[in-house]
Amino acid sequence: MSISASEVSKVASLARLALADGEREKLLHELNAILSYIDALNTVSLQNTEIMVHPFEQAETPLRVDSILESEENRKAFTETLIAGSPVREGQFFKVPKMTKT
């Protein structure tokens, strides 16, 4: 299977692409190379091939243990843990630079 120059022009028009003559010829060559590769893949026999869902074995994703924060003390500790890594903070809030128009 191959593609013609007029088909390349039609697809470029549908995609609203303005192609120079050099670009059109290059694209024609590249698309024909892709189609010839697909033709080569279509000749491969897959009769004794096992179906794969994924190329790698499925590994379990480690999940953290969920914990319910029921008390005010636990919530404060959680908040402290969250903002402990902040470079600048004001009380229990992150402090960030003011946004200005440029």
Side-chain angles (χ1 to χ4, degrees):
M1 176 180 207
S2 65
I3 191 168
S4 68
S6 64
E7 289 172 317
V8 170
S9 296
K10 182 177 179 180
V11 170
S13 172
L14 290 172
R16 300 191 194 292
L17 297 174
L19 298 176
D21 288 335
E23 291 175 319
R24 186 174 291 113
E25 289 301 317
K26 181 181 175 188
L27 192 57
L28 175 65
H29 175 71
E30 290 174 353
L31 288 173
N32 279 324
I34 291 168
L35 291 174
S36 68
Y37 182 70
I38 291 171
D39 284 340
L41 289 176
N42 284 333
T43 63
V44 175
S45 173
L46 300 175
Q47 284 186 341
N48 295 324
T49 306
E50 187 178 328
I51 296 173
M52 290 189 330
V53 175
H54 196 276
F56 304 110
E57 290 183 25
Q58 295 290 13
E60 258 187 65
T61 306
L63 301 174
R64 66 173 174 81
V65 178
D66 286 336
S67 60
I68 299 172
L69 303 175
E70 296 177 2
S71 68
E72 185 66 28
E73 182 180 306
N74 284 345
R75 271 187 283 253
K76 285 181 182 179
F78 182 69
T79 303
E80 281 298 317
T81 304
L82 283 178
I83 62 173
S86 173
V88 182
R89 65 186 236 192
E90 191 170 299
Q92 64 177 6
F93 302 103
F94 295 106
K95 188 166 183 177
V96 295
K98 182 179 178 180
M99 299 294 292
T100 60
K101 290 184 179 180
T102 55

